[in-house]
Amino acid sequence: MPSKTTAVSIRHTAKYTVFDTYEIVSSPHFFTSPQRPSNPNGGPNRGPNRGSTPQPPPPSPHPSSNYKYASLPLPTPPTCSSIFLDINEPYTLNLLLSILKSKTSYTINLGPCTGDFPIPVPPSTFQYAEYERCNWDVLRLRKGRSSNFCVRKGLSRKAQMYNYTRRYCAKNRESILRTNVPESVVVETWAAFEEGESVVMGDGQRVDFGNLKVEDRVKICSGDFLQLQEEKFIKGEDVTWIVKPSSINRGSGIEIFLVYEQLLNILLEERDIREWIVSVYIDRPLLLSGRKFHIRAYVAAVGDLTVYFYDDVLCLCSGTEYDGDDVGNYYAHITNTCYQSQDAGFNEEECVLVLEDVERILVQEYGMEEGKAGKEVENIKEQMRKLTGELFECYKGETNVYDPLEGSFEHYGFDFIVAENDDKGSEFLYKTYLLEVNPGPDFKQSGKKGEGIVKGMLEETIDLVLGGLDFDKEKNENVFTKVYHKKG
C-alpha cells in the first residue's frame, strides 16, 4: 500500500468551500524524491545579466518527447467538479482565488504551490497547476484536464519557432509571418563541444571536425550567420544584431553586437547553451517619451485547437531613453520588465503602460491627429491578431513539437515590437513584428498597473474552459477575440 501525507484546512463561505489540501502518494507510479534546491538553474552568465542568467530547466520527470498523443484513442475529457490549484507565484494564485470564489459549482483544492514533481491528481479534477507538477500519467492518456499542454517545445524554444515559421512561409508566400518576423538564423553548437562529432552544413555536406580547434568548430557551426552577414554586406545594409538563447526567458542571456568576433566570443564563453537564435535587430522602434518598448499580449489556446487573443495588452518600456548608436546600454534596449526591475531607477508606473497610452503619445508627442492615431493603434492590434492566428497554423499536424489537448488549455505571453514601416506605399507609419512566445508567462511582470488586465484575462479564460462558452467578438463584449480555429 502506498503511504500518504495529507494536510487539510477547510474554510467555508457563502459561495464556496476551499480545501487547503494536498496529498503526496509514495508509490512507484509517482515521483517523491527529495526537493531540489529552489534555484536549480545556476550556471555561467553573460553580459549585463552575469550572475543571474538561468539555464534551461532540467527535463520533466515525464519527458514530453515520450508522449505520442496522435496514436492514442481520443476519449472525451471528463467533466470536472473540482479544481486543483497549484501555482507558485502568489500574484497569480491570489487573482485566481478571487475569481474562483464566484464560481459556485467548483470545489477548490490547494496544492503545495512549490516543488518540481507531479502530484497524483485524479482525472475528475481540473489541474490548474505549474507544468512540472501536472499529473502527466493521467493527462498523457487524455483522461484529465489541465492548464498546460505537455508538448509545446515548438513554441517555447525560439529556434524551433523560427524554423517552423520559416517552413510555413516557404509554402505560404503571402503570409504575414514572412514580413513581420525579424530575419534570423539558428546557430547550434552541440557538435562544437563534443569530441568526435561532425556537422551537416546547409548544402547537405557533412564536415568531420576531427582534430579541429574548438574555435574553428564554432565558426563552422555558425556558418549560416556568416552567410547572412555577407549577404547584408553585399547589399550595403548596415546591420545591428541581437542574439538570444533559444530556451531562456526574462531577458536573460541576450546580447546585442555589431561584428562576428563578438558573437564568436559569446558562443565560446557560453558552452552550456547550445542553441541560439541570431536576428537582425529592430533599431528604429516606435518610442514612447523617448523610450523603447515592446508589447506583451496574452493568448489562450483552448482544446484542440481554438486560439483567443486578449485585446487589452501591455506596453513594457525601458526606464532609459533610447539611443540606437549606444548598443552597450542594455537598460535602454532590453525592455523585459524582469530585467528593467534590476535598474536602481526602475519606476513601474512609468515603465508599464497600456495601448491607450500609445495613442495618447502619438497625439501629444508626435503631433498626430486623433483619428490617424486611432487608426495606427487599431492596425497594430490587427497585425498582432493576424500574426498570432497564423503562427498556430504553422503547427497544424506537427504533434511532435506542439500537441494541444482536448479539454485543456494553455496561456502564452506573445511579445511584439512596433517599428517604422519601410513600406512607403502603406497608409500606416508603423509595422508590428512578432518577437517570441512564452508558454506559462510570468503574470507578476505585469505589475500592479496590469493586474486588472491579467485578472480579466484569467476570468474570461475560466469562462471559456470551464464554462463552455465560445466567445465571438461580434456577439458580446468580451475582450478575447478568436483568431484561430483548427479545421480538419
Side-chain angles (χ1 to χ4, degrees), residues 54-222:
Q55 298 303 304
S60 164
H62 296 291
S64 61
S65 58
N66 292 337
Y67 296 154
K68 302 297 181 184
Y69 290 135
S71 63
L72 296 172
L74 304 178
T76 302
T79 300
C80 297
S81 59
S82 62
I83 299 173
F84 179 70
L85 192 57
D86 192 13
I87 302 297
N88 293 347
E89 177 51 58
Y91 178 96
T92 306
L93 181 65
N94 290 331
L95 286 177
L96 285 168
L97 281 172
S98 69
I99 294 167
L100 290 169
K101 286 179 182 179
S102 63
K103 311 298 178 182
T104 58
S105 58
Y106 297 102
T107 298
I108 307 166
N109 299 277
L110 288 182
C113 299
T114 188
D116 297 321
F117 299 99
I119 304 295
V121 178
S124 59
T125 297
F126 191 96
Q127 302 180 50
Y128 205 127
E130 300 291 347
Y131 179 91
E132 61 271 16
R133 291 200 297 279
C134 282
N135 186 2
W136 296 113
D137 279 343
V138 168
L139 295 170
R140 71 186 182 90
L141 298 175
R142 299 185 186 267
K143 292 183 178 180
R145 304 177 67 185
S146 168
S147 59
N148 297 287
F149 298 150
C150 185
V151 182
R152 78 281 182 83
K153 63 184 179 182
L155 281 174
S156 63
R157 290 167 57 180
K158 300 175 185 69
Q160 290 260 7
M161 190 187 87
Y162 182 74
N163 284 336
Y164 277 89
T165 55
R166 183 172 58 178
R167 181 187 302 179
Y168 174 81
C169 291
K171 299 177 181 178
N172 300 270
R173 310 287 291 184
E174 301 302 317
S175 170
I176 190 173
L177 293 169
R178 187 177 178 85
T179 56
N180 293 55
V181 173
E183 191 172 4
S184 307
V185 294
V186 173
V187 175
E188 296 182 352
T189 60
W190 302 95
F193 302 114
E194 302 293 337
E195 293 299 328
E197 292 290 334
S198 59
V199 66
V200 177
M201 305 302 290
D203 58 4
Q205 179 182 358
R206 180 174 291 277
V207 177
D208 189 350
F209 282 161
N211 295 320
L212 290 177
K213 295 179 180 179
V214 171
E215 181 174 331
D216 293 329
R217 295 181 181 187
V218 172
K219 287 180 179 179
I220 293 173
C221 289
S222 54

Side-chain angles (χ1 to χ4, degrees), residues 222-334:
S222 54
D224 287 346
F225 170 76
L226 288 170
Q227 182 178 342
L228 178 59
Q229 185 184 50
E230 182 179 2
E231 291 174 1
K232 296 296 182 184
F233 177 77
I234 292 173
K235 293 178 181 178
E237 298 180 17
D238 186 14
V239 178
T240 301
W241 304 92
I242 184 168
V243 58
K244 302 178 182 180
S246 181
S247 301
I248 299 178
N249 299 317
R250 299 189 176 186
S252 297
I254 295 176
E255 297 280 0
I256 303 170
F257 66 96
L258 300 173
V259 296
Y260 174 68
E261 286 72 23
Q262 293 173 291
L263 174 63
L264 181 61
N265 288 335
I266 294 167
L267 301 178
L268 287 170
E269 289 180 25
E270 296 291 1
R271 299 190 180 197
D272 289 341
I273 303 174
R274 304 292 179 88
E275 187 177 66
W276 304 79
I277 185 163
V278 187
S279 306
V280 173
Y281 185 58
I282 306 298
D283 58 2
R284 291 186 295 153
L286 172 63
L287 303 178
L288 302 181
S289 301
R291 300 170 297 151
K292 181 182 174 184
F293 75 100
H294 78 273
I295 295 176
R296 164 54 63 94
Y298 293 118
V299 171
V302 180
D304 183 31
L305 176 71
T306 305
V307 179
Y308 299 88
F309 182 93
Y310 200 70
D311 282 338
D312 286 349
V313 301
L314 295 167
C315 299
L316 306 179
C317 305
S318 68
T320 303
E321 287 195 6
Y322 179 79
D323 181 355
D325 295 326
D326 182 8
V327 297
N329 185 356
Y330 280 26
Y331 283 124
H333 292 269
I334 300 176

